[in-house]
Amino acid sequence: MRQKILTPNIRETTLERRGFPVKNAAAKELLETVGESFLTGYAHAVEAGSLSEAEQRLEQVPARFKGFAYEGAGMGLAVLDCLAFSDLRRTRQFLSGAGDRHNYMIYVGIGWAMARLPRLLWPSSRRLDPLLLWLVHDGYGFHQAYFHTRRYVHEQYREPRFTWPPGYESYAARAIDQGIGRALWFVGGTDVDRVTSLIDGFPAARRPDLYAGTGLAATYAGGAGEPELRELRRRAGEHAPQLAQGSAFAAEARIRAGLLNPHNELAAHVLCGTSAQRAATLCRETRPAPPAPASPVPASPVPASPVPGAVPAYETWRARIADSLHSYGGVTP
């Protein structure tokens, strides 16, 4: 019953049903297989009798689409946990074991679950990695742009107060935009002209995050050849470093999971100006260190919440990656 109520129907992921353009037969097959793989992963997570059984099923998915299956599994486990008020017990257990290699995708899947659940069922952000929890917003933004395209893409709606986690409302909107940008690669059917036209129709302040999301999707999912990727980089213009940052995140997610494909390498080469391996290494090298344990007796009072407008370590990380890639010279149009 949970699966029937909360899972998108496979027909909802077809380009025809979504109203997304068809660039060509290959792009259509790719995007629809991504959606099918996501729902397969969701089903494996909610139907399996144990986490180990779910992993065994997930590992049968072809390498190119396995990450999307783990993303779906992240959504499925989060849905089960939220409905049971278990504070993401199963999801965190999966992340600490078999799902660790796919942690980026599982965090995105949690965002999908939150998009489908009422806010009173949302989990506490305190139980998640404070650096990676912003990928939850990415998943939420992708879901909204993919299933509510008119409102979030064409009408450019933005969440007025996304108070999860508390104290970071302004940055939460930016992280959601990163997910919307990732969805635009699908909404535009991997057609560079359509995708960039959609992005450039948004207010200028939102475009850096939208291009970052698009760079991630173009690299992770694929669907564009070298000439198209070069045109994407050219169209990004001043936002080419953000486009490259998203591409680097995709390379890191693929390599961490052992799922690197030729299309990932090609996209990293064009968008980042370096190899996928070097882009992934850069992500690891620039990753902020975990905060030091708090002193038992702080010298001064600790604020209960961040200063309004505070920028999390996640954004510092993204900026470091973008700046480093820009210095390679490969992301200059």
Side-chain angles (χ1 to χ4, degrees), residues 38-297:
F38 180 96
L39 295 179
T40 295
Y42 182 100
H44 289 339
V46 300
E47 294 173 359
S50 65
L51 292 179
S52 60
E53 180 184 342
E55 181 196 6
Q56 290 172 10
R57 295 183 181 183
L58 289 164
E59 286 301 308
Q60 301 306 308
V61 178
R64 178 162 189 174
F65 302 101
K66 190 177 295 183
F68 299 106
Y70 271 90
E71 183 180 351
M75 177 187 177
L77 292 172
V79 164
L80 293 178
D81 283 336
C82 291
L83 290 176
F85 297 98
S86 69
D87 208 10
L88 296 179
R89 179 182 59 81
R90 294 178 186 84
T91 310
R92 290 185 289 108
Q93 184 180 347
F94 195 50
L95 281 165
S96 66
D100 178 63
R101 292 181 296 116
H102 306 274
N103 60 349
Y104 297 103
M105 305 304 287
I106 293 171
Y107 268 79
V108 169
I110 296 171
W112 275 71
M114 289 169 57
R116 291 260 157 175
L117 294 168
R119 292 202 177 202
L120 62 89
L121 293 180
W122 285 8
S124 168
S125 61
R126 293 191 298 272
R127 304 293 286 178
L128 297 172
D129 184 319
L131 184 66
L132 297 184
L133 69 82
W134 299 102
L135 292 170
V136 173
H137 300 72
D138 186 299
Y140 180 94
F142 184 101
H143 177 282
Q144 301 302 73
Y146 188 89
F147 288 105
H148 307 290
T149 308
R150 172 178 290 183
R151 189 180 195 198
Y152 280 82
V153 176
H154 301 301
E155 297 176 1
Q156 301 172 358
Y157 175 77
R158 203 172 200 187
E159 303 281 345
R161 274 184 58 82
F162 200 91
T163 56
W164 190 100
Y168 284 102
E169 288 84 355
S170 61
Y171 190 75
R174 290 190 55 190
I176 290 171
D177 272 353
Q178 292 154 31
I180 292 174
R182 190 164 58 89
L184 290 179
W185 189 244
F186 291 72
V187 173
T190 78
D191 183 297
V192 169
D193 184 61
R194 290 179 182 270
V195 173
T196 54
S197 293
L198 287 170
I199 295 174
D200 294 345
F202 278 77
R206 299 180 67 177
R207 293 174 201 163
D209 291 313
L210 294 171
Y211 269 109
T214 295
L216 199 158
T219 303
Y220 196 96
E226 183 171 349
E228 295 172 290
L229 291 168
R230 292 194 180 280
E231 177 63 11
L232 175 60
R233 190 184 70 182
R234 187 191 71 80
R235 290 286 296 266
E238 64 180 312
H239 307 306
Q242 288 75 38
L243 183 77
Q245 178 272 312
S247 178
F249 261 16
E252 160 63 355
R254 282 282 186 178
I255 289 174
R256 178 183 175 87
L259 301 176
L260 189 68
N261 277 262
H263 73 274
N264 311 132
E265 187 66 66
L266 172 64
H269 173 74
V270 174
L271 302 183
C272 298
T274 188
S275 68
Q277 184 62 62
R278 178 59 189 135
T281 299
L282 179 63
C283 291
R284 295 190 291 272
E285 290 176 344
T286 57
R287 179 174 176 145
S295 171
V297 183

